[in-house]
Amino acid sequence: MSQSFAKKTFKTFKGKAQKALHRSLDQHVKLAVTGLSGSGKTAFISALVKHLTSQANDNNLPFFDVMREHRHIATKIVPQEALNVPTFDYNRAMSALLPMEGDPAWPASTERINTLRLAIKYQSNAGLRGHFSPQSTLYLDIIDYPGEWLLDLPMLEQSYTAWCEQQYPLLNQSPRSATSGDFLHAVEQLDLHAPVDESELANIAQLYQRMLVGLKKDTKLAMLQPGRMLMPGDLQGAPLLLFFPINPEKMKDDVVAGSNLAHLIKRFNAYVKEVVKPFYNEHFRHFDRQIVLVDVLSALNEGHETLHEQSRVINQLLAHFSYGESGFFKRLFKPNIDKILFAANKSDHISAKHHKALALLLDSLVKEQSNHLKFDGVQIETMAMSSITATQPRQVVDEGQTLDCVYGKPLNEHEWLTYLPPEPPSRMLNKSEWPAQGFEFLSFSPMPSPDKQLKHIRLDHVMQYLLGDKLT
Ligand SMILES: Nc1nc2c(ncn2[C@@H]2O[C@H](COP(=O)(O)OP(=O)(O)O)[C@@H](O)[C@H]2O)c(=O)[nH]1
Ligand SMILES: [Mg+2]
């Protein structure tokens, strides 16, 4: 009796142990998908899900080990954990990109944080895991949030005065100076030390907001703060969003209570404390992996200043990642994010032979700080990729010369076009090196796909870099 009892107990124990082991082998990864609006986050997430669910095979994703080794079993969308964050609308994106009838279109942009959880079921390939648990599941939480919010990050460490010292002088420089006139005029008129005039502050804040929104639309400048002014959502009109930079020379040491200045300071502090900080506390500090999508080609189109500003902003952000002065950022990021990928997106807009130059250019944009991060043990990689390929390569022979062109339908046009894209520089150019005619890279509509398949460039490399080690 005791023998069979022991046997039975051993069996159940073994069953339990296996279950427990199995559960502990289920892993979670939180992937932050970030980039300024328009950099391609929505398209990236749509493509990621599509390729992992209905296009998951080794032909399509040859450089993703779990696919090449035929260990991927299936991936599906499962209910997310965070109940207070909207779900990424995958179906809406798919019906735009792969419509039942009519022309495909890019998914509409979503201007708020959203998330999606994928369960990736796979065969483990070795060791303990292979022996006890033939199948494992990796839960992948993808979090998409407006990159503009990321740009508020440095404000966490700034006082209102320091913020003004940084932002105000920029308003007198190109390209901001072209549209900052109305705001600067109004702010000059404001008596900072007079008792607060709420409606005057609201009016000036509105001028400031209008200027920021215009700059974002027309220049693709990167350092536009506060980020929520660009996408206020339900904060529109809330007092904590009604502030703006003032001439730092006009500040006094002792701030009169109840004055305009006192209120500006109060609002700035409230914005940082109630908007910026909770966002990082709730979402940011839990990320494991991060992809930063950069639309390098559009920045090149905009010119020298925009590209420089992009570089400055990225480096400023990275500086916080690695050695934030207060140590606050160190605590916030260091324990979790161990891999960052900078992706020069939309590389289907240029010919394949220039992808290398594009990746090198992005590499030179982030160089200043990536070295520090690497030293601190964070892995960093730069890549040229395209989540959803909207063009086809075409070779055209012109006067005996073979030209590597792309073929596609330019955005908002009706005719298809074969065109020779310019060659991007392979490093940051200074002003005197910048070509006189500038750069002009075209944008394209998505390709129709009768077989309902999306095409990508190097998305499998991206997956391998971000997830490969979690799927072994
Ligand atoms: N050719 C090409 N265009 C892209 C790609 N991803 C995004 N785009 C373009 O960039 C626009 C903005 O992309 P979206 O994903 O909405 O950016 P988000 O604001 O960062 O979410 C799209 O409407 C497309 O025109 C891509 O992989 N290839
Ligand atoms: Mg989006």
Side-chain angles (χ1 to χ4, degrees), residues 428-439:
M428 193 68 201
L429 302 179
N430 56 41
K431 209 160 190 166
S432 60
E433 295 171 305
W434 202 265
Q437 74 283 9
F439 291 96

Side-chain angles (χ1 to χ4, degrees), residues 33-47 88 105-111 144-148 231 293 295 345-349 385-391 411 442-446 455-457:
V33 176
T34 187
L36 297 179
S37 65
S39 60
K41 298 180 293 297
T42 302
F44 173 80
I45 296 171
S46 309
F88 179 82
W106 293 105
S109 75
T110 44
E111 305 207 319
D144 165 16
Y145 63 92
E148 283 69 11
M231 286 170 205
L293 297 165
D295 188 356
N345 201 11
K346 313 183 192 178
S347 65
D348 56 312
H349 288 165
M385 53 96 52
S386 171
S387 335
I388 300 174
T389 302
T391 65
L411 211 55
L442 295 184
S443 296
F444 292 88
S445 293
K455 290 203 174 68
H456 69 86
I457 298 173

Side-chain angles (χ1 to χ4, degrees), residues 141-241:
D141 284 316
I142 304 167
I143 295 107
D144 165 16
Y145 63 92
E148 283 69 11
W149 296 5
L150 191 66
L151 298 178
D152 285 342
L153 184 85
M155 293 171 83
L156 282 168
E157 284 191 318
Q158 281 172 327
S159 64
Y160 179 61
T161 313
W163 183 67
C164 292
E165 277 163 0
Q166 189 186 56
Q167 293 292 319
Y168 195 82
L170 291 175
L171 298 170
N172 286 307
Q173 294 164 22
S174 164
R176 287 175 175 78
S177 52
T179 52
S180 61
D182 287 351
F183 165 72
L184 286 177
H185 181 72
V187 90
E188 279 301 309
Q189 307 290 316
L190 177 72
D191 182 352
L192 289 167
H193 311 290
V196 64
D197 179 343
E198 301 242 12
S199 70
E200 195 181 2
L201 291 185
N203 287 339
I204 302 175
Q206 206 174 26
L207 289 175
Y208 184 65
Q209 181 175 25
R210 202 173 300 154
M211 181 199 78
L212 287 186
V213 170
L215 283 169
K216 185 188 142 200
K217 194 165 134 268
D218 301 334
T219 67
K220 298 214 165 16
L221 280 180
M223 211 195 318
L224 302 175
Q225 291 171 347
R228 289 298 163 101
M229 261 197 182
L230 299 166
M231 286 170 205
D234 31 345
L235 289 178
Q236 180 70 42
L240 56 64
L241 211 50

Side-chain angles (χ1 to χ4, degrees), residues 4 22 92 107 134 144 149 151 182 276 303 320 340 344 353 396 410 426:
S4 88
H22 199 118
R92 191 175 76 156
D144 165 16
W149 296 5
L151 298 178
D182 287 351
V276 185
H320 287 298
I340 303 179
K353 73 174 186 202
V396 174
S426 59

